[in-house]
Amino acid sequence: MKSWPSPFIPAVPGTGLPVHVYDTASAAVRQLRPGPTARMYVCGITPYDATHIGHAATYVTFDLLGRALRDAGHEVLYVQNVTDVDEPLLQRAARDGVSWQALAEDEIALFREDMTALAVIAPDHYIGAVEGVPSVVKAVTDLLSEGTAYRVELPEGEGISGAGDVYFDLSSATDFGSVSRWDRDQMMAVYAERGGDPERAGKRDELDPLLWRAARTGEPSWPGGDLGDGRPGWHIECTTIALDYLGMTFDVQGGGTDLVFPHHEMSAVQACGITGAAPFALAYVHQAMVGLDGEKMSKSKGNLVFVSTLRRSGVDPMAIRLAVLAHHYRTPWQWTDQVLEQAQQRLATWRAGLSGNGGPPAGSTIERIRECLANDLDAPGALDAVDEWVLQSLQGPASLASTQAGDGFELGAPGLVGRALDALLGVRL
Ligand code: ZN
């Protein structure tokens, strides 16, 4: 699937530090130790609605991580999926009386524009669930033949395929629970609301995840060979795309905290079932949720703030990016008018501070930005470092015959800081 044009990343003198991030599976901040190429998978959107601020926070956070890894000398192989066929998409299309394909196409196009506006580096492989169907069919067929998956008959009169749905047998997975570290009660508390079907009759364990949904009347389906016609379950889509494009035991699996369970847990156990190896990913990194005016931002509450709406109202996308970066990715935060105003103010101040030929020496500020990013993506700390440089820059040198020597200002410093902001923080002034 077509992604979007990546922004140009300017060179910055020096090299970034080894990157540390909080790994949900080990509940600790850990140093990433990629080879020459860091492999990162971030779960993409289900394209039934526009990109909201919570999405923006997720993709900006992993963009920041990708930039920190590049700065530390790694290539980054970045894969993202699009869940371009799934229950929420089909339901929204039916509600609105449009085809699910047209709805997905429109929302994916809008997402691409939002990502470009936010200066998010495009994934190397941007893969739709529909494109991934053949890999899912192969994986599920293998799991069935190995006995780690099983069929569940369709309720009478529901299906048009006689082969039944296919579920993963969690009793075959020794490491189930190793991503979220949740106990069964915690899992059961959210499973149904996060796309699970604990009440489905015929499952061996109510938590067993759906691998293949047999064709139903009025639903899209694809040829499944021995599985019969149908479509992939949500988790297996990411399992197989990640295995196809990154291979087992890649460096970072990313997404919002609402994906910790069941999505990342199930994606991982299924991958272990398919490959017989472990772990699926070396680090699981999660972006905290973003609320709106004191409430959780959610589609069910209808209180979503869309990036495209803000852009259309004239908000500079760099202000949106700065608003996101002003909050650490592991701390839940609220989107308010004040948050946006502060980001707009900061952007204007930075532009003023970076507009001269000379400024305070750039080296130590760039060093601080790098230290902050390497330390569990401390974007707010990096912003503080820039604020301080800008403040000194605006205060000006000791004399107006400046930018030569002896007054603490350096010619070209604003250009250097500007390049660092662009390359490391993705903020273009
Ligand atoms: Zn995923």
Side-chain angles (χ1 to χ4, degrees), residues 41 43 81 234 238 263:
Y41 187 96
C43 290
N81 68 305
W234 173 32
C238 282
H263 187 55

Side-chain angles (χ1 to χ4, degrees), residues 92-384:
R92 177 63 64 93
R95 187 199 79 177
D96 295 351
V98 296
S99 81
W100 61 272
Q101 293 98 327
L103 176 61
E105 216 169 280
D106 286 353
E107 296 301 349
I108 293 167
L110 193 55
F111 178 72
R112 287 191 193 107
E113 283 177 20
D114 288 339
M115 292 299 105
T116 303
L118 292 173
V120 170
I121 298 170
D124 300 283
H125 301 283
Y126 191 49
I127 309 295
V130 173
E131 291 172 90
V133 166
S135 284
V136 170
V137 169
K138 183 179 180 313
V140 176
T141 304
D142 289 350
L143 288 170
L144 260 180
S145 67
E146 288 157 13
T148 42
Y150 59 94
R151 292 182 197 273
V152 173
E153 278 185 24
L154 299 183
E156 205 167 320
E158 197 177 294
I160 53 176
S161 161
D165 298 329
V166 182
Y167 283 84
F168 186 81
D169 187 345
L170 286 174
S171 70
S172 70
T174 52
D175 46 3
F176 181 56
S178 64
V179 174
S180 64
R181 307 161 65 93
W182 287 11
D183 63 30
R184 196 175 169 90
D185 287 346
Q186 287 174 289
M187 292 177 179
M188 285 304 296
V190 302
Y191 190 51
E193 74 189 51
R194 292 186 181 175
D197 56 354
E199 311 216 315
R200 173 69 190 275
K203 284 170 65 171
R204 292 177 187 170
D205 181 324
E206 50 199 348
L207 287 172
D208 285 348
L210 176 71
L211 294 171
W212 184 253
R213 179 175 164 88
R216 262 73 164 180
T217 310
E219 289 188 12
S221 63
W222 288 264
D226 293 344
L227 303 177
D229 289 359
R231 60 182 162 93
W234 173 32
H235 318 304
I236 192 71
E237 162 196 346
C238 282
T239 304
T240 54
I241 292 172
L243 290 178
D244 283 351
Y245 293 91
L246 296 176
M248 195 65 179
T249 316
F250 54 92
D251 295 289
V252 175
Q253 159 76 297
T257 49
D258 54 344
L259 297 186
V260 173
F261 186 88
H263 187 55
H264 287 172
E265 190 76 64
M266 299 302 188
S267 300
V269 289
Q270 291 168 174
C272 297
I274 290 166
T275 62
F280 183 44
L282 291 165
Y284 292 85
V285 181
H286 293 104
Q287 163 70 43
M289 295 290 104
V290 181
L292 177 67
D293 295 331
E295 280 207 83
K296 183 173 183 276
M297 206 185 281
S298 73
K299 47 192 176 281
S300 54
K301 290 204 176 82
N303 61 344
L304 301 173
V305 175
F306 296 114
V307 172
S308 47
T309 310
L310 290 170
R311 289 199 290 120
R312 274 196 295 268
S313 71
V315 173
D316 188 324
M318 287 299 107
I320 303 173
R321 184 157 176 129
L322 273 182
V324 168
L325 293 177
H327 302 86
H328 191 265
Y329 77 97
R330 284 206 280 136
T331 308
W333 57 280
Q334 297 286 323
W335 178 267
T336 61
D337 289 345
Q338 201 192 5
V339 163
L340 178 58
E341 281 159 22
Q342 281 170 350
Q344 288 170 316
Q345 181 59 48
R346 178 176 251 149
L347 188 61
T349 308
W350 283 15
R351 282 190 171 132
L354 278 144
S355 62
N357 289 331
S364 59
T365 300
I366 294 173
E367 211 170 292
R368 267 183 70 193
I369 295 171
R370 283 183 162 135
E371 280 167 10
C372 288
L373 293 182
N375 177 21
D376 197 22
L377 300 178
D378 179 11
L383 265 49
D384 286 346

